Amino acid sequence: MDSNIKSIGVLTSGGDAPGMNAAIRAVTRAGIFNGMKVYGIYRGYRGLISDEIVEFKTNSVSNIIQQGGTMLKTARSTDFMTEEGRRIAYENMQQHGIEALVVIGGDGSLTGASIFAGEYNIPVVGLPGTIDNDLNGTDTTIGYDTALNTIMQSMDKIRDTATSHERLFFVEVMGRNCGYLALNSAIASGAEAAIIPEISIEKDQLGELIEQGFRKSKSSSMVLVTESEVTGGAMKLAERVKTEYPQYDVRVSILGHLQRGGSPTAQDRILASRMGVAAIQALMENQRNVMIGIRENEIAYVPFKRAIKKEREISRELLEVLRISSI
């Protein structure tokens, strides 16, 4: 049976990711196309509490598909973590007549959405907007492809200087507890290794790297490192090399927020557009508490509980590809 939702709100929350604007645009226009009123909620859950809610028309989202970041802005909200904060958010939604929410963000944002939906029985659909690609039930997330390309381009430039000086470079990328960015960037840029949280738990990756006759035949080496408490990050590893293997000339490059910006790639724009349209479709089909995922290039509805349940498993096949191709 079709739902009769007449008005929805859309917000972006947590860390920004390239392609979020494409998603906002698709949600807005798909909503309007299907006869709904669409409200843009600025600054994520914080704006839902402080009532930064504006009705969007088709032209509110003109000319944004090519922009990185999010035009709706994003903010961390500690208030939304409280029952009182969520009550105010719900009252603001009621005042504007907003009956359902589309939330674009990562695991923290979807966790918040799940709690809110449960407390007030509101239909909420999530879109996976995070460069980390750390959500379950989807092959990829909005912003991941762009971040991967940014890292690859940076790595190509670092290689030029690494080769000139015969140095060992540790390049730190984002990812929190998920090594997908580091692992795939390492494959794409021809790096020697990726030091990632999933494997750091199993063994000492640095020790193994150097013991295996690291750099025997190479004039320079580049290693990607996930910024994480588990790996210790690039600085910690560099310090270890200086103490334990002083024969190496080590340099560190931390890419930081560079990875989050930039114009989204075609792949991210298409993914975000498909997911945005699918979010409205899901609401019309009476879906609630689901994240829109993509699996084998088909749209999938993933229950929030599954999407955020635990760390995403790393692909052993990718690890093998890197190991073989970097000898």
Side-chain angles (χ1 to χ4, degrees):
M1 130 183 152
D2 276 355
S3 81
N4 51 0
I5 291 171
K6 297 276 180 287
S7 117
I8 63 147
V10 57
L11 62 86
T12 50
S13 168
D16 60 305
M20 278 184 165
N21 282 325
I24 295 165
R25 172 181 179 269
V27 168
T28 301
R29 293 193 171 164
I32 292 168
F33 179 85
N34 286 291
M36 298 174 181
K37 267 190 169 181
V38 179
Y39 290 89
I41 299 159
Y42 285 84
R43 292 176 185 80
Y45 294 127
R46 190 198 289 177
L48 199 54
I49 294 170
S50 59
D51 199 16
E52 295 182 61
I53 301 171
V54 177
E55 189 180 343
F56 270 19
K57 303 290 186 205
T58 301
N59 63 355
S60 306
V61 292
S62 294
N63 233 341
I64 64 168
I65 196 167
Q66 75 280 18
Q67 293 169 10
T70 161
M71 55 95 66
L72 279 174
K73 311 288 183 221
T74 176
R76 310 272 173 206
S77 172
T78 43
D79 288 346
F80 195 74
M81 292 175 187
T82 66
E83 281 184 23
E84 171 64 5
R86 291 192 296 273
R87 187 183 59 76
I88 296 168
Y90 177 65
E91 284 168 4
N92 286 336
M93 276 180 69
Q94 282 196 303
Q95 256 177 338
H96 290 275
I98 297 170
E99 299 162 320
L101 277 185
V102 177
V103 173
I104 308 165
D107 59 349
S109 311
L110 299 186
T111 305
S114 181
I115 294 166
F116 190 47
E119 280 176 343
Y120 292 100
N121 195 22
I122 312 160
V124 181
V125 172
L127 295 190
T130 163
I131 66 167
D132 298 339
N133 197 16
D134 58 353
L135 291 161
N136 288 291
T138 185
D139 293 343
T140 186
T141 56
I142 297 166
Y144 175 63
D145 186 62
T146 307
L148 211 47
N149 277 286
T150 301
I151 294 166
M152 180 185 73
Q153 287 155 8
S154 304
M155 290 292 284
D156 292 350
K157 290 173 182 168
I158 290 169
R159 183 179 289 282
D160 293 345
T161 176
T163 314
S164 305
H165 292 276
E166 302 197 331
R167 281 175 175 156
L168 162 55
F169 260 89
F170 286 120
V171 182
E172 185 177 286
V173 297
M174 289 176 170
R176 235 182 343 188
N177 298 316
C178 179
Y180 265 98
L181 263 182
L183 181 52
N184 277 307
S185 307
I187 294 171
S189 57
E192 277 55 59
I195 294 184
I196 58 177
E198 293 87 342
I199 308 301
S200 285
I201 298 164
E202 297 172 18
K203 59 186 179 195
D204 173 16
Q205 290 171 278
L206 180 67
E208 190 177 84
L209 196 67
I210 293 185
E211 252 73 89
Q212 279 171 351
F214 183 45
R215 251 184 102 180
K216 278 194 305 273
S217 59
K218 306 204 171 186
S219 60
S220 70
S221 291
M222 302 199 307
V223 177
L224 271 137
V225 184
T226 301
E227 163 206 357
S228 141
E229 281 172 23
V230 185
T231 62
M235 296 302 272
K236 273 231 174 83
L237 288 168
E239 276 160 29
R240 263 194 67 191
V241 173
K242 280 175 192 157
T243 353
E244 297 173 37
Y245 311 98
Q247 67 272 35
Y248 293 109
D249 186 12
V250 186
R251 291 291 181 275
V252 169
S253 231
I254 295 171
L255 296 186
H257 286 79
L258 188 75
Q259 301 160 72
R260 282 242 182 110
S263 182
T265 56
Q267 194 170 331
D268 270 332
R269 297 181 197 196
I270 295 163
L271 178 72
S273 300
R274 289 180 68 188
M275 286 179 163
V277 170
I280 298 297
Q281 194 57 45
L283 288 170
M284 287 166 63
E285 290 169 17
N286 272 323
Q287 293 284 340
R288 45 175 64 213
N289 291 356
V290 294
M291 176 188 86
I292 304 294
I294 192 127
R295 285 207 293 269
E296 293 174 357
N297 210 22
E298 295 290 328
I299 289 288
Y301 296 157
V302 187
F304 280 157
K305 284 191 169 47
R306 173 158 178 240
I308 55 192
K309 74 168 188 286
K310 62 172 176 16
E311 257 72 87
R312 192 170 164 194
E313 278 189 23
I314 205 80
S315 154
R316 298 283 157 173
E317 182 232 344
L318 288 173
L319 284 165
E320 198 58 4
V321 168
L322 178 60
R323 197 172 67 86
I324 292 167
S325 60
S326 66
I327 60 165

